[in-house]
Amino acid sequence: MLEESSGLDMSDESWKIYSRNPNLPSARIGTGAALDGCMIAEGCCVEGTVKHSVLFQGVQVGKGATVIDSVVMRGAQIDDGAVVERAVVAERAHICAGAHVGAAGGALAVLGSDSEIAPGATVAPGASVEPKTTVE
């Protein structure tokens, strides 16, 4: 979906997408943010780096945080200096400052809804964190 050669044209008028969209303000991209090949939904606030990823509504990416090759669902929060690589982050998950989820080239890491990754904690590539769980 993110590649130009995917054959999927998200703006094709003949292919309607029906969904419930919340009434949120436009995405806010901070002055120090860096974006490359990503989709950012309304209500997001990006202060860090997002590459080849999809951010759903209301996602927060803090200063110095990095999100690469990932899908981050609605309302998730990625604090300053956190790293998310090759991961699926469910709704309202919270990745605290300095935490690291997944790794480049590794198996997909999955975080359940309302999970929390404590400051400085690590979630290994291929790991799965259950919903409402805290990783220390």
Side-chain angles (χ1 to χ4, degrees), residues 13-124:
E13 288 291 324
S14 68
W15 190 60
K16 300 284 186 196
I17 299 173
Y18 296 98
S19 66
R20 290 181 297 161
N21 287 346
N23 291 322
L24 296 172
S26 298
R28 182 179 159 284
I29 309 303
T31 56
L35 304 175
D36 183 17
C38 51
M39 293 182 74
I40 311 292
E42 63 270 10
C44 290
C45 179
V46 179
E47 299 286 342
T49 299
V50 180
K51 294 181 180 180
H52 202 256
S53 297
V54 177
L55 305 185
F56 282 75
Q57 298 92 352
V59 171
Q60 307 292 307
V61 178
K63 291 180 181 177
T66 303
V67 179
I68 301 172
D69 295 330
S70 297
V71 175
V72 183
M73 304 301 279
R74 183 178 181 167
Q77 182 173 334
I78 302 166
D79 289 348
D80 296 353
V83 176
V84 177
E85 297 181 274
R86 289 195 42 78
V88 175
V89 178
E91 296 87 358
R92 299 171 308 280
H94 183 194
I95 302 166
C96 295
H100 197 117
V101 176
L108 200 62
V110 179
L111 303 184
S113 59
D114 300 299
S115 60
E116 181 172 0
I117 311 306
T122 298
V123 175

